Amino acid sequence: MSNVARFEYILMLIVLIVGLELAARKMRLPPAAALVLGGIAIALAPGLPVLEIDPDLVLIVFLPPLLLAGAYFSVWHAFRLHLFGILQLAVGGVAFTTFAVGLAAHWLIPSMPWAGCFVLGAIVAPPDAVAAKAVLKHVVLPERITTLLEGESLLDDAASLVIYRFATVAVLTGSFSLVHATVTFAWLAMGGLVVGGGLGWLWIRLLRRVRDRILSITMTLLLPWVAYIGGEWLGASGVITTVVAGLVLGWRQHDVFSADERLRWAAVWEVLVFLLESLVFVLIGMALHAIVLRHRGTGWVVQDVFGPVMGIVLAVMISRFVWMAMTEGLRIACVPPSRRPGVRGFMTYVVVMGWCGMRGVVSLAIVLALPEGMPERDIMQIATFVVILATVLGQGTTIGWLIRMTEGARGQVPGQRHYLSVSQARALIARVQERVMQHLAYDAEGQLVHDRLLEQYAYRAELAERFSHEQEALQGRQDAHYRALLATIKAGRAELLRLHRSGEIHDAVLHQLEHELDLQQMTAEGALI
C-alpha cells in the first residue's frame, strides 16, 4: 500500500468513526463498543486492503497525547490524597493480575513456558487509560472511585511494560533476576518523576514568555511527545514522564494560559483526543485481520484455542475482583470504626472497581510487538484481542447499568471530604466580586463613577446567593432566563451575519463580535447543562 493510499485509508476511517459515533449515540451504546465492532467489520470485510500496524508507532503516536490529556484534567488534590491507593492498584494490581493470569495460562496451556505465561499476564494486566476515560465520561461515580480509576490507568502502563520486558527476556534467554527487575523498575519510576517534573516546570517557564496563543497551543501539543521521547531517551519511563509533566501543567494552567488561550487550547485538544481515542478502538478491531488470514479454518480455534482463551478472560476479570476485595478489606480494617463503610458500601466499591477494568491500546501495542520466536504467539495474540473485546464490549456497555443498580455508590462515605456545590461556589465568587466592585466603583474623591457595574454585581451576588439556598424552587426560572438569553444571542448572531453579508461591516468586526456572542452562548449553554 502506497503512502497516498494509506492516507486515503485513514481519511476513510475517520469518516467511518463519525458515522459510528452518531450510531452509538442514537442507540445509546458506549462509543468504544461501536468503534471496536466497526473495526472488526472492516477487518472481516472481503476485498479491503490490510493496514500494516507498527506497534512502536501505535505507542508513540497515540499514548503520549492521551496520557497527557488525562493527567492535565486530573484533580491534583484528589490524586495526591489517594496516591497510595492509586499505586496499590497501578503496581500491586498489575503484578497480582500478571501472576494470576500466568498461573491460569500455564494450567490451560501446558506447552507454554512459565516465563511466556507471565508475558501474557503482563500484556493483559493494565487497564487502559483511553478505555477508562471513555467510560468515565458517561457515568457518575464518587470522587474516590473516579480518582482511583483515572490514576490507576495513568500509572499502570509503566509497571506492565517493565514486567513484560523482563518476562520476554526470560523466555528468549532463559534467565531472570528479580533483584535486577525491581531495581530497574524503581529507576524508571524515579527517573520519570524527576524528568517529568523538570520538563513540566521548564514548559511553564517557556509558556509564560510566549504570549502568542498559536505558539503556546503548538508548544502544548508538542509537550506529550517531548516528554515521552525525552524520558525514554534519558533512560526513564516515558509513560511516567508524560503523566507527571501533564499533572504539573494541569496544576499551573490557570497561571499560564489566558482565558482566550484556555478556550482555544481545550477546543484543539478535544478534537485531537476524540480522533486518537476513536482510531485506537478501530485499530483494535482491525488488528484481528492478520490472525484471521493465518487461521482461516475454525477447527484449530475450536479445539485448541477457545477453551484456554475463555479461561484467561475469566482469570483477568476474577483476579481484579479478588485484588479489589483484598485491598479494600485491608484498608477498612486500618481505619477507625466510625469511618468504616457498611457491607453495602464495601460490596459497591468492589463491584464497581472490579467491573471498571477495560483493556485497550497498551495491551494491543504490546501483543503486536511480540517477537516471532515467542512460543504460542498466536494464542497470546488471540487471547489479548478477546480480553480487549470482552472488557470493552462486555464491561463498557454494562457499567452504566451496574452503577445505577448500586445506588450506594453515590452516597456520602464516612469521613469523606464535603465539597461545595456549583451554586454555592458561584455565590461565594459573586460576593467577592461585589466587594471588589464596591471599592472600584468610587474615584479618589468618593464620587460614584461605576454605578451601573456596582448595581449589576450587587444584583448578581444577591441572585447567586438566593439560588444556592433555593436551587430546586428557582431552577425553572433560571432555565427560562438562559433560554431567553440564548434566543437573544441567536437573533443577534442573525443580525451580525446580515450586516456582514450585506457588506456593512468588515471581516475583523464580524470575528470580534462573533467571538463575544460565542462566549455569551457558552455561558448560557453551560448554565443549562
Side-chain angles (χ1 to χ4, degrees), residues 325-348:
M326 289 169 50
T327 54
E328 182 67 0
L330 289 174
R331 186 191 74 85
I332 291 175
C334 295
V335 300
S338 60
R339 298 179 56 188
R340 292 177 185 174
V343 175
R344 180 184 177 85
F346 171 77
M347 292 304 299
T348 293

Side-chain angles (χ1 to χ4, degrees), residues 51-65:
L51 184 65
E52 296 291 336
I53 301 175
D54 184 344
D56 294 329
L57 186 63
V58 170
L59 276 178
I60 201 170
V61 169
F62 292 96
L63 197 58

